[in-house]
Amino acid sequence: MRYHNITKDDMLNGEGLRVVLWLAGCDHACPGCHNPITWDAAGGIPFDEAAKEELFAELDKDYIAGVTLSGGDPLYCGNREDVTALCAEIRKRYPQKTIWLYTGYTWKEIHDLPVINWIDVLVDGRFVQQIANSQLHWRGSENQMVIDVRRTCQLGQVVLLDGTK
């Protein structure tokens, strides 16, 4: 797995103050994407033990609400196994922190992936420039959903996070 950046003290990519891991690799190529540099799976730098420790050092801080995985696409086929393992490790090490994941895939396409067991919120769907809306909370275009993963899995139907759509 490769990544481009670890953003600290982020307030734009999920609830509360967060750390964001920007992963490399995306095959959606959405027109108008804010991060096209992250599409190349061979771009960025390897996510090694030093990078993981940098991420964990941020999660160690009491005032950090959790981690957000973005990119690129954390669920790009080449990332899925490593992202699942990382989310499982984060959940076990920081059970009180939330895990948000942004993907261009829809809930219907990925709801049965193992990573779903470890995340709290999924922002799904490709960015669609024609229906982009800067007033939306935590998403860029109106087709995207901010899904409360735990409640969705419990109830067997998509439950949106309060305050969205």
Side-chain angles (χ1 to χ4, degrees):
M1 180 169 73
R2 299 178 71 81
Y3 77 108
H4 282 270
N5 193 24
I6 296 173
T7 303
K8 299 164 183 158
D9 299 335
D10 181 278
M11 295 186 299
L12 302 175
N13 294 285
E15 283 184 314
L17 207 53
R18 311 188 68 73
V19 57
V20 182
L21 177 62
W22 301 92
L23 294 164
C26 183
D27 53 12
H28 303 299
C30 301
C33 173
H34 294 286
N35 300 311
I37 194 168
T38 64
W39 294 354
D40 182 3
I45 56 178
F47 187 77
D48 57 12
E49 283 302 313
K52 185 189 292 187
E53 287 309 313
E54 181 181 350
L55 184 70
F56 288 173
E58 291 304 304
L59 287 168
D60 283 340
K61 297 175 180 175
D62 290 340
Y63 62 86
I64 295 296
V67 63
T68 299
L69 305 175
S70 194
D73 193 330
L75 298 184
Y76 170 77
C77 288
N79 291 336
R80 288 180 183 183
E81 188 175 321
D82 290 334
V83 164
T84 300
L86 178 62
C87 288
E89 186 174 354
I90 291 168
R91 171 65 64 226
K92 289 173 185 167
R93 189 167 171 171
Y94 304 98
Q96 75 285 8
K97 308 280 182 170
T98 58
I99 301 172
W100 284 50
L101 191 145
Y102 281 76
T103 183
Y105 295 99
T106 64
W107 174 256
K108 185 177 179 182
E109 294 171 309
I110 53 91
H111 72 276
D112 58 353
L113 291 178
V115 71
I116 295 302
N117 296 311
W118 305 111
I119 64 175
D120 299 289
V121 177
L122 179 81
V123 182
D124 84 334
R126 290 166 176 77
F127 173 75
V128 179
Q129 195 168 20
Q130 294 84 349
I131 53 174
N133 182 342
S134 63
Q135 301 303 308
L136 297 172
H137 221 61
W138 300 312
R139 56 200 170 107
S141 58
E142 295 184 12
N143 61 300
Q144 296 170 313
M145 295 189 294
V146 183
I147 299 170
D148 181 328
V149 173
R150 294 197 179 195
R151 290 189 60 216
T152 293
C153 291
Q154 287 171 349
L155 298 175
Q157 65 183 23
V158 173
V159 176
L160 301 180
L161 193 68
D162 291 340
T164 63
K165 212 166 191 178

